[in-house]
Amino acid sequence: MVALPGGEFLMGAQDAEGFPADGEGPVRTVRVEPFRIDACAVTNERYAEFVADTGYATDAERLGWSYVFAGFLPAALRRGAVRPEHTPWWCGVEGASWNRPEGPGSSVGERADHPVVHVSWHDAAAYAAWAGKRLPTEVEWEYAARGGLEQRRYPWGDELDPGGEYRCNIWRGTFPTRNTAADGYRGTAPVDAFEPNGFGLHNVSGNVWEWCADRWSREDAARVIRGGSYMCHKSYCNRYRVAARSANTPDSSSGHTGFRCARSS
């Protein structure tokens, strides 16, 4: 874990590329107490240790299915799969879970160092408790993701690919039909695949969405997710910016959502 000193920082953004309805702004001064946070998202290897030790069954396993990107599936699994009306590139796949990320016949055998996915907020919180940690608050997450930079769009600055160098794992190409994988990955990448930010945190932009402890609002019990994922593209969801935020219900899971843990100092 990385120890961070805390203090005051400018949280949020009023970015022309942002989504005001998501509550990204206004920019405000926020104070955060010292804390520690994982340098990387929790891996499949670490989550397997948790499951082996506790026998824990995830929400996806109990429900019997989870959402998988259609482009990762053979025709037999795509055919007849339930698809959300507004995001038809997702397929509800029976048997998809953290250790079978593309459903029956798939495994995480060669992805031990990739972030665990198909974990709900409940599943992430259970792991964190087992590890003697907790999920980060949204304030902690953004403070850590900024890496000491003030009001920059990304953890490394304002340009997405400075000097033509890829700094994160997001959708490259035409969404959702063509992913060139120019940054090296069509799906998840190893948790330390790209250079860390100024605080030593890897992949706080792209790769997988990360659960935070907070509710979306007082009225909405959905939980906040931050950071964007390998599915994000500027044409519809450039939420790989450090101020961007979204949410999902605490029992939801998918092939692009994971987490990292925090601990109070």
Short mmCIF file of all heavy atoms in Angstrom, two decimals, residues 197-256:
data_model
loop_
_atom_site.label_atom_id
_atom_site.label_comp_id
_atom_site.label_asym_id
_atom_site.label_seq_id
_atom_site.Cartn_x
_atom_site.Cartn_y
_atom_site.Cartn_z
N ASN A 197 1.12 6.98 -11.36
CA ASN A 197 1.00 8.43 -11.23
C ASN A 197 2.02 8.94 -10.20
O ASN A 197 2.86 8.17 -9.71
CB ASN A 197 -0.43 8.85 -10.89
CG ASN A 197 -0.84 8.47 -9.46
OD1 ASN A 197 -0.06 7.93 -8.68
ND2 ASN A 197 -2.09 8.75 -9.12
N GLY A 198 1.93 10.20 -9.87
CA GLY A 198 2.91 10.81 -8.97
C GLY A 198 2.92 10.24 -7.56
O GLY A 198 3.90 10.42 -6.84
N PHE A 199 1.86 9.57 -7.16
CA PHE A 199 1.79 8.93 -5.85
C PHE A 199 2.14 7.44 -5.91
O PHE A 199 2.11 6.76 -4.89
CB PHE A 199 0.40 9.08 -5.24
CG PHE A 199 0.08 10.46 -4.73
CD1 PHE A 199 -1.25 10.86 -4.60
CD2 PHE A 199 1.07 11.36 -4.38
CE1 PHE A 199 -1.58 12.12 -4.11
CE2 PHE A 199 0.76 12.62 -3.89
CZ PHE A 199 -0.56 13.01 -3.76
N GLY A 200 2.41 6.94 -7.11
CA GLY A 200 2.77 5.53 -7.24
C GLY A 200 1.61 4.59 -7.49
O GLY A 200 1.76 3.37 -7.36
N LEU A 201 0.45 5.13 -7.88
CA LEU A 201 -0.72 4.29 -8.16
C LEU A 201 -0.79 3.98 -9.66
O LEU A 201 -0.64 4.87 -10.50
CB LEU A 201 -2.01 4.99 -7.74
CG LEU A 201 -2.44 4.85 -6.29
CD1 LEU A 201 -1.48 5.59 -5.37
CD2 LEU A 201 -3.86 5.37 -6.10
N HIS A 202 -1.05 2.71 -9.96
CA HIS A 202 -1.18 2.27 -11.34
C HIS A 202 -2.65 2.20 -11.77
O HIS A 202 -3.53 1.83 -10.98
CB HIS A 202 -0.59 0.87 -11.51
CG HIS A 202 0.89 0.80 -11.34
ND1 HIS A 202 1.78 0.91 -12.39
CD2 HIS A 202 1.65 0.62 -10.22
CE1 HIS A 202 3.02 0.79 -11.94
NE2 HIS A 202 2.96 0.62 -10.64
N ASN A 203 -2.89 2.55 -13.03
CA ASN A 203 -4.17 2.29 -13.70
C ASN A 203 -5.38 2.88 -12.99
O ASN A 203 -6.44 2.24 -12.89
CB ASN A 203 -4.38 0.78 -13.89
CG ASN A 203 -3.37 0.17 -14.85
OD1 ASN A 203 -2.73 0.88 -15.63
ND2 ASN A 203 -3.21 -1.13 -14.79
N VAL A 204 -5.25 4.11 -12.52
CA VAL A 204 -6.43 4.79 -11.98
C VAL A 204 -7.26 5.41 -13.10
O VAL A 204 -8.36 5.91 -12.85
CB VAL A 204 -6.06 5.86 -10.92
CG1 VAL A 204 -5.71 5.18 -9.60
CG2 VAL A 204 -4.92 6.74 -11.39
N SER A 205 -6.74 5.39 -14.32
CA SER A 205 -7.53 5.72 -15.50
C SER A 205 -7.58 4.47 -16.38
O SER A 205 -6.54 3.90 -16.71
CB SER A 205 -6.90 6.87 -16.30
OG SER A 205 -7.13 8.11 -15.70
N GLY A 206 -8.78 4.06 -16.74
CA GLY A 206 -8.93 2.89 -17.59
C GLY A 206 -8.72 1.58 -16.87
O GLY A 206 -8.66 1.51 -15.64
N ASN A 207 -8.63 0.52 -17.63
CA ASN A 207 -8.51 -0.87 -17.19
C ASN A 207 -9.81 -1.37 -16.58
O ASN A 207 -10.57 -2.05 -17.25
CB ASN A 207 -7.32 -1.09 -16.27
CG ASN A 207 -6.73 -2.49 -16.45
OD1 ASN A 207 -6.88 -3.10 -17.51
ND2 ASN A 207 -6.07 -3.00 -15.44
N VAL A 208 -10.09 -1.05 -15.31
CA VAL A 208 -11.39 -1.43 -14.73
C VAL A 208 -11.95 -0.30 -13.88
O VAL A 208 -11.20 0.46 -13.26
CB VAL A 208 -11.30 -2.72 -13.87
CG1 VAL A 208 -10.99 -3.93 -14.73
CG2 VAL A 208 -10.30 -2.58 -12.73
N TRP A 209 -13.26 -0.19 -13.89
CA TRP A 209 -13.93 0.68 -12.92
C TRP A 209 -13.60 0.17 -11.52
O TRP A 209 -13.44 -1.04 -11.30
CB TRP A 209 -15.43 0.62 -13.10
CG TRP A 209 -15.98 1.39 -14.26
CD1 TRP A 209 -16.39 0.89 -15.47
CD2 TRP A 209 -16.22 2.80 -14.31
NE1 TRP A 209 -16.86 1.90 -16.27
CE2 TRP A 209 -16.77 3.08 -15.59
CE3 TRP A 209 -16.03 3.84 -13.41
CZ2 TRP A 209 -17.13 4.36 -15.98
CZ3 TRP A 209 -16.38 5.13 -13.80
CH2 TRP A 209 -16.93 5.38 -15.06
N GLU A 210 -13.54 1.09 -10.56
CA GLU A 210 -13.21 0.71 -9.18
C GLU A 210 -14.29 1.19 -8.22
O GLU A 210 -14.66 2.36 -8.22
CB GLU A 210 -11.85 1.30 -8.80
CG GLU A 210 -10.72 0.78 -9.69
CD GLU A 210 -9.35 1.29 -9.28
OE1 GLU A 210 -9.24 1.93 -8.20
OE2 GLU A 210 -8.39 1.04 -10.02
N TRP A 211 -14.77 0.25 -7.41
CA TRP A 211 -15.78 0.57 -6.42
C TRP A 211 -15.23 1.49 -5.33
O TRP A 211 -14.11 1.30 -4.87
CB TRP A 211 -16.29 -0.70 -5.73
CG TRP A 211 -17.12 -1.61 -6.56
CD1 TRP A 211 -16.75 -2.84 -7.05
CD2 TRP A 211 -18.49 -1.42 -6.97
NE1 TRP A 211 -17.79 -3.41 -7.74
CE2 TRP A 211 -18.87 -2.57 -7.70
CE3 TRP A 211 -19.40 -0.39 -6.78
CZ2 TRP A 211 -20.14 -2.71 -8.25
CZ3 TRP A 211 -20.67 -0.53 -7.33
CH2 TRP A 211 -21.03 -1.67 -8.05
N CYS A 212 -16.04 2.45 -4.91
CA CYS A 212 -15.75 3.28 -3.74
C CYS A 212 -16.78 2.98 -2.65
O CYS A 212 -17.83 2.38 -2.92
CB CYS A 212 -15.78 4.76 -4.10
SG CYS A 212 -14.44 5.29 -5.18
N ALA A 213 -16.50 3.43 -1.45
CA ALA A 213 -17.39 3.15 -0.33
C ALA A 213 -18.71 3.90 -0.43
O ALA A 213 -19.75 3.43 0.05
CB ALA A 213 -16.69 3.50 0.98
N ASP A 214 -18.70 5.07 -1.07
CA ASP A 214 -19.82 6.01 -0.99
C ASP A 214 -21.05 5.60 -1.79
O ASP A 214 -20.96 5.00 -2.86
CB ASP A 214 -19.38 7.38 -1.52
CG ASP A 214 -18.14 7.90 -0.84
OD1 ASP A 214 -17.10 7.22 -0.90
OD2 ASP A 214 -18.19 9.01 -0.29
N ARG A 215 -22.20 6.04 -1.28
CA ARG A 215 -23.43 6.01 -2.06
C ARG A 215 -23.38 7.10 -3.11
O ARG A 215 -22.70 8.12 -2.95
CB ARG A 215 -24.64 6.24 -1.14
CG ARG A 215 -24.93 5.11 -0.18
CD ARG A 215 -25.93 5.52 0.88
NE ARG A 215 -27.19 5.96 0.31
CZ ARG A 215 -28.39 5.52 0.69
NH1 ARG A 215 -28.47 4.59 1.63
NH2 ARG A 215 -29.50 5.98 0.15
N TRP A 216 -24.13 6.91 -4.19
CA TRP A 216 -24.18 7.90 -5.26
C TRP A 216 -24.77 9.22 -4.76
O TRP A 216 -24.29 10.29 -5.10
CB TRP A 216 -25.01 7.34 -6.41
CG TRP A 216 -25.16 8.23 -7.60
CD1 TRP A 216 -26.31 8.81 -8.06
CD2 TRP A 216 -24.13 8.64 -8.53
NE1 TRP A 216 -26.07 9.54 -9.20
CE2 TRP A 216 -24.74 9.46 -9.51
CE3 TRP A 216 -22.76 8.39 -8.61
CZ2 TRP A 216 -24.03 10.02 -10.56
CZ3 TRP A 216 -22.04 8.96 -9.66
CH2 TRP A 216 -22.67 9.77 -10.61
N SER A 217 -25.79 9.14 -3.94
CA SER A 217 -26.39 10.34 -3.35
C SER A 217 -27.19 9.91 -2.13
O SER A 217 -27.36 8.72 -1.86
CB SER A 217 -27.30 11.04 -4.35
OG SER A 217 -28.45 10.24 -4.62
N ARG A 218 -27.69 10.88 -1.40
CA ARG A 218 -28.51 10.56 -0.23
C ARG A 218 -29.77 9.80 -0.62
O ARG A 218 -30.28 8.98 0.14
CB ARG A 218 -28.89 11.85 0.50
CG ARG A 218 -27.72 12.55 1.18
CD ARG A 218 -28.18 13.82 1.88
NE ARG A 218 -27.07 14.53 2.52
CZ ARG A 218 -27.20 15.67 3.15
NH1 ARG A 218 -28.40 16.26 3.24
NH2 ARG A 218 -26.15 16.24 3.70
N GLU A 219 -30.26 10.10 -1.81
CA GLU A 219 -31.52 9.49 -2.26
C GLU A 219 -31.30 8.19 -3.02
O GLU A 219 -32.23 7.41 -3.20
CB GLU A 219 -32.28 10.47 -3.17
CG GLU A 219 -32.68 11.78 -2.52
CD GLU A 219 -31.52 12.77 -2.40
OE1 GLU A 219 -30.55 12.65 -3.19
OE2 GLU A 219 -31.58 13.64 -1.50
N ASP A 220 -30.09 7.94 -3.48
CA ASP A 220 -29.80 6.81 -4.36
C ASP A 220 -28.78 5.90 -3.69
O ASP A 220 -27.64 6.30 -3.45
CB ASP A 220 -29.28 7.31 -5.70
CG ASP A 220 -29.19 6.22 -6.75
OD1 ASP A 220 -29.14 5.04 -6.38
OD2 ASP A 220 -29.16 6.56 -7.95
N ALA A 221 -29.16 4.66 -3.41
CA ALA A 221 -28.29 3.72 -2.71
C ALA A 221 -27.25 3.07 -3.61
O ALA A 221 -26.43 2.27 -3.13
CB ALA A 221 -29.13 2.65 -2.03
N ALA A 222 -27.26 3.38 -4.91
CA ALA A 222 -26.20 2.88 -5.78
C ALA A 222 -24.85 3.35 -5.25
O ALA A 222 -24.76 4.36 -4.56
CB ALA A 222 -26.41 3.38 -7.21
N ARG A 223 -23.80 2.60 -5.56
CA ARG A 223 -22.47 2.93 -5.07
C ARG A 223 -21.61 3.52 -6.18
O ARG A 223 -21.71 3.15 -7.35
CB ARG A 223 -21.80 1.68 -4.52
CG ARG A 223 -22.56 1.06 -3.36
CD ARG A 223 -22.48 1.89 -2.09
NE ARG A 223 -23.31 1.33 -1.02
CZ ARG A 223 -23.11 1.57 0.26
NH1 ARG A 223 -22.13 2.37 0.65
NH2 ARG A 223 -23.92 1.04 1.17
N VAL A 224 -20.75 4.42 -5.78
CA VAL A 224 -19.90 5.13 -6.73
C VAL A 224 -18.83 4.21 -7.30
O VAL A 224 -18.24 3.39 -6.59
CB VAL A 224 -19.23 6.33 -6.05
CG1 VAL A 224 -18.20 6.98 -6.97
CG2 VAL A 224 -20.28 7.35 -5.61
N ILE A 225 -18.58 4.34 -8.60
CA ILE A 225 -17.43 3.71 -9.24
C ILE A 225 -16.62 4.81 -9.93
O ILE A 225 -17.16 5.80 -10.40
CB ILE A 225 -17.84 2.62 -10.25
CG1 ILE A 225 -18.90 3.13 -11.24
CG2 ILE A 225 -18.33 1.37 -9.53
CD1 ILE A 225 -19.26 2.12 -12.33
N ARG A 226 -15.32 4.62 -9.95
CA ARG A 226 -14.43 5.66 -10.48
C ARG A 226 -13.40 5.04 -11.43
O ARG A 226 -13.08 3.86 -11.36
CB ARG A 226 -13.70 6.37 -9.33
CG ARG A 226 -14.61 7.09 -8.33
CD ARG A 226 -15.32 8.28 -8.91
NE ARG A 226 -14.42 9.29 -9.42
CZ ARG A 226 -14.17 10.46 -8.82
NH1 ARG A 226 -14.75 10.76 -7.67
NH2 ARG A 226 -13.36 11.35 -9.37
N GLY A 227 -12.86 5.88 -12.32
CA GLY A 227 -11.69 5.53 -13.10
C GLY A 227 -11.91 5.07 -14.53
O GLY A 227 -10.97 5.02 -15.30
N GLY A 228 -13.15 4.71 -14.90
CA GLY A 228 -13.36 4.21 -16.24
C GLY A 228 -12.77 2.82 -16.44
O GLY A 228 -12.27 2.20 -15.50
N SER A 229 -12.82 2.32 -17.67
CA SER A 229 -12.36 0.96 -17.93
C SER A 229 -11.87 0.80 -19.35
O SER A 229 -11.89 1.75 -20.14
CB SER A 229 -13.50 -0.03 -17.69
OG SER A 229 -14.39 -0.07 -18.81
N TYR A 230 -11.46 -0.42 -19.69
CA TYR A 230 -11.03 -0.72 -21.05
C TYR A 230 -12.16 -0.57 -22.07
O TYR A 230 -11.92 -0.57 -23.27
CB TYR A 230 -10.43 -2.13 -21.14
CG TYR A 230 -11.42 -3.25 -20.82
CD1 TYR A 230 -12.26 -3.76 -21.80
CD2 TYR A 230 -11.51 -3.79 -19.54
CE1 TYR A 230 -13.16 -4.78 -21.52
CE2 TYR A 230 -12.40 -4.81 -19.26
CZ TYR A 230 -13.22 -5.30 -20.24
OH TYR A 230 -14.12 -6.30 -19.96
N MET A 231 -13.39 -0.41 -21.60
CA MET A 231 -14.54 -0.22 -22.47
C MET A 231 -14.83 1.25 -22.76
O MET A 231 -15.67 1.57 -23.59
CB MET A 231 -15.79 -0.84 -21.83
CG MET A 231 -15.74 -2.35 -21.70
SD MET A 231 -16.02 -3.17 -23.26
CE MET A 231 -17.74 -2.76 -23.54
N CYS A 232 -14.16 2.16 -22.10
CA CYS A 232 -14.46 3.59 -22.25
C CYS A 232 -13.84 4.15 -23.53
O CYS A 232 -12.70 3.83 -23.88
CB CYS A 232 -13.94 4.37 -21.05
SG CYS A 232 -14.95 4.19 -19.57
N HIS A 233 -14.60 5.01 -24.19
CA HIS A 233 -14.16 5.64 -25.44
C HIS A 233 -14.68 7.07 -25.47
O HIS A 233 -15.78 7.34 -24.98
CB HIS A 233 -14.68 4.84 -26.64
CG HIS A 233 -14.17 5.33 -27.95
ND1 HIS A 233 -14.89 6.21 -28.74
CD2 HIS A 233 -13.02 5.07 -28.62
CE1 HIS A 233 -14.20 6.46 -29.85
NE2 HIS A 233 -13.07 5.79 -29.81
N LYS A 234 -13.93 7.96 -26.06
CA LYS A 234 -14.29 9.37 -26.07
C LYS A 234 -15.63 9.64 -26.74
O LYS A 234 -16.26 10.66 -26.49
CB LYS A 234 -13.20 10.20 -26.74
CG LYS A 234 -12.99 9.85 -28.21
CD LYS A 234 -11.87 10.69 -28.80
CE LYS A 234 -11.64 10.36 -30.28
NZ LYS A 234 -10.53 11.15 -30.85
N SER A 235 -16.09 8.74 -27.60
CA SER A 235 -17.33 8.96 -28.34
C SER A 235 -18.58 8.87 -27.47
O SER A 235 -19.63 9.38 -27.84
CB SER A 235 -17.46 7.95 -29.48
OG SER A 235 -17.60 6.63 -28.98
N TYR A 236 -18.46 8.21 -26.31
CA TYR A 236 -19.67 8.07 -25.49
C TYR A 236 -19.39 8.07 -23.99
O TYR A 236 -20.28 8.37 -23.19
CB TYR A 236 -20.42 6.77 -25.85
CG TYR A 236 -19.95 5.56 -25.07
CD1 TYR A 236 -20.72 5.04 -24.02
CD2 TYR A 236 -18.73 4.97 -25.35
CE1 TYR A 236 -20.28 3.95 -23.30
CE2 TYR A 236 -18.30 3.88 -24.62
CZ TYR A 236 -19.07 3.37 -23.60
OH TYR A 236 -18.62 2.30 -22.89
N CYS A 237 -18.18 7.73 -23.57
CA CYS A 237 -17.93 7.59 -22.13
C CYS A 237 -16.46 7.86 -21.82
O CYS A 237 -15.72 6.94 -21.55
CB CYS A 237 -18.32 6.18 -21.66
SG CYS A 237 -17.99 5.88 -19.91
N ASN A 238 -16.09 9.12 -21.85
CA ASN A 238 -14.69 9.44 -21.53
C ASN A 238 -14.52 9.62 -20.02
O ASN A 238 -13.92 10.57 -19.55
CB ASN A 238 -14.22 10.69 -22.29
CG ASN A 238 -14.98 11.94 -21.90
OD1 ASN A 238 -16.03 11.88 -21.27
ND2 ASN A 238 -14.44 13.10 -22.26
N ARG A 239 -15.04 8.67 -19.29
CA ARG A 239 -14.98 8.76 -17.83
C ARG A 239 -13.70 8.17 -17.25
O ARG A 239 -13.66 7.75 -16.10
CB ARG A 239 -16.22 8.11 -17.21
CG ARG A 239 -17.49 8.91 -17.49
CD ARG A 239 -18.70 8.28 -16.80
NE ARG A 239 -19.89 9.09 -16.95
CZ ARG A 239 -20.76 8.99 -17.96
NH1 ARG A 239 -20.53 8.12 -18.95
NH2 ARG A 239 -21.83 9.75 -18.02
N TYR A 240 -12.66 8.14 -18.06
CA TYR A 240 -11.33 7.81 -17.57
C TYR A 240 -10.61 9.06 -17.08
O TYR A 240 -9.45 9.02 -16.72
CB TYR A 240 -10.51 7.09 -18.65
CG TYR A 240 -10.71 7.63 -20.05
CD1 TYR A 240 -10.03 8.76 -20.48
CD2 TYR A 240 -11.60 7.02 -20.92
CE1 TYR A 240 -10.22 9.27 -21.75
CE2 TYR A 240 -11.80 7.51 -22.20
CZ TYR A 240 -11.11 8.65 -22.62
OH TYR A 240 -11.31 9.16 -23.88
N ARG A 241 -11.29 10.20 -17.08
CA ARG A 241 -10.75 11.42 -16.46
C ARG A 241 -10.84 11.30 -14.94
O ARG A 241 -11.76 10.69 -14.41
CB ARG A 241 -11.57 12.63 -16.92
CG ARG A 241 -11.49 12.92 -18.42
CD ARG A 241 -12.54 13.93 -18.87
NE ARG A 241 -13.88 13.39 -18.71
CZ ARG A 241 -14.72 13.76 -17.77
NH1 ARG A 241 -14.38 14.69 -16.87
NH2 ARG A 241 -15.92 13.22 -17.69
N VAL A 242 -9.91 11.91 -14.22
CA VAL A 242 -9.85 11.69 -12.77
C VAL A 242 -11.05 12.28 -12.03
O VAL A 242 -11.37 11.82 -10.93
CB VAL A 242 -8.54 12.23 -12.15
CG1 VAL A 242 -7.38 11.35 -12.52
CG2 VAL A 242 -8.28 13.66 -12.56
N ALA A 243 -11.72 13.27 -12.59
CA ALA A 243 -12.89 13.85 -11.92
C ALA A 243 -14.18 13.13 -12.27
O ALA A 243 -15.22 13.39 -11.65
CB ALA A 243 -13.02 15.33 -12.26
N ALA A 244 -14.14 12.26 -13.26
CA ALA A 244 -15.36 11.59 -13.72
C ALA A 244 -15.85 10.57 -12.70
O ALA A 244 -15.06 9.98 -11.96
CB ALA A 244 -15.11 10.90 -15.06
N ARG A 245 -17.16 10.37 -12.69
CA ARG A 245 -17.74 9.43 -11.74
C ARG A 245 -18.97 8.78 -12.36
O ARG A 245 -19.61 9.32 -13.25
CB ARG A 245 -18.12 10.15 -10.43
CG ARG A 245 -19.07 11.30 -10.60
CD ARG A 245 -19.07 12.26 -9.39
NE ARG A 245 -19.42 11.61 -8.15
CZ ARG A 245 -20.66 11.60 -7.63
NH1 ARG A 245 -21.67 12.19 -8.26
NH2 ARG A 245 -20.90 11.01 -6.47
N SER A 246 -19.27 7.60 -11.86
CA SER A 246 -20.48 6.90 -12.25
C SER A 246 -20.90 6.04 -11.07
O SER A 246 -20.33 6.15 -9.98
CB SER A 246 -20.24 6.06 -13.52
OG SER A 246 -21.48 5.60 -14.05
N ALA A 247 -21.91 5.19 -11.28
CA ALA A 247 -22.41 4.39 -10.16
C ALA A 247 -23.08 3.14 -10.68
O ALA A 247 -23.46 3.04 -11.85
CB ALA A 247 -23.40 5.21 -9.32
N ASN A 248 -23.25 2.19 -9.78
CA ASN A 248 -24.00 0.98 -10.08
C ASN A 248 -24.60 0.46 -8.79
O ASN A 248 -24.14 0.82 -7.69
CB ASN A 248 -23.11 -0.09 -10.72
CG ASN A 248 -23.85 -0.95 -11.73
OD1 ASN A 248 -25.08 -1.08 -11.67
ND2 ASN A 248 -23.12 -1.55 -12.65
N THR A 249 -25.60 -0.39 -8.91
CA THR A 249 -26.22 -0.95 -7.72
C THR A 249 -25.22 -1.89 -7.03
O THR A 249 -24.37 -2.49 -7.70
CB THR A 249 -27.50 -1.72 -8.07
OG1 THR A 249 -27.19 -2.73 -9.05
CG2 THR A 249 -28.56 -0.78 -8.62
N PRO A 250 -25.29 -2.01 -5.71
CA PRO A 250 -24.24 -2.74 -4.99
C PRO A 250 -24.18 -4.24 -5.26
O PRO A 250 -23.19 -4.88 -4.90
CB PRO A 250 -24.56 -2.45 -3.52
CG PRO A 250 -25.98 -2.02 -3.49
CD PRO A 250 -26.24 -1.35 -4.80
N ASP A 251 -25.20 -4.80 -5.90
CA ASP A 251 -25.15 -6.23 -6.23
C ASP A 251 -24.80 -6.47 -7.69
O ASP A 251 -24.78 -7.61 -8.15
CB ASP A 251 -26.48 -6.91 -5.90
CG ASP A 251 -27.66 -6.33 -6.66
OD1 ASP A 251 -27.51 -5.26 -7.28
OD2 ASP A 251 -28.75 -6.95 -6.64
N SER A 252 -24.51 -5.41 -8.45
CA SER A 252 -24.21 -5.54 -9.87
C SER A 252 -22.77 -5.98 -10.09
O SER A 252 -21.86 -5.62 -9.33
CB SER A 252 -24.44 -4.21 -10.59
OG SER A 252 -25.80 -3.86 -10.60
N SER A 253 -22.56 -6.71 -11.18
CA SER A 253 -21.20 -7.10 -11.56
C SER A 253 -21.09 -7.14 -13.07
O SER A 253 -22.09 -7.26 -13.78
CB SER A 253 -20.84 -8.47 -10.97
OG SER A 253 -21.66 -9.49 -11.51
N SER A 254 -19.88 -7.05 -13.56
CA SER A 254 -19.63 -7.06 -14.99
C SER A 254 -18.16 -7.36 -15.23
O SER A 254 -17.35 -7.38 -14.29
CB SER A 254 -19.98 -5.71 -15.62
OG SER A 254 -19.09 -4.71 -15.15
N GLY A 255 -17.83 -7.54 -16.50
CA GLY A 255 -16.46 -7.87 -16.86
C GLY A 255 -15.51 -6.70 -16.90
O GLY A 255 -14.36 -6.87 -17.32
N HIS A 256 -15.95 -5.51 -16.44
CA HIS A 256 -15.03 -4.37 -16.45
C HIS A 256 -15.04 -3.60 -15.13
O HIS A 256 -14.61 -2.45 -15.10
CB HIS A 256 -15.33 -3.43 -17.62
CG HIS A 256 -16.59 -2.62 -17.52
ND1 HIS A 256 -17.65 -2.98 -16.74
CD2 HIS A 256 -16.94 -1.46 -18.12
CE1 HIS A 256 -18.60 -2.06 -16.85
NE2 HIS A 256 -18.19 -1.13 -17.69
#
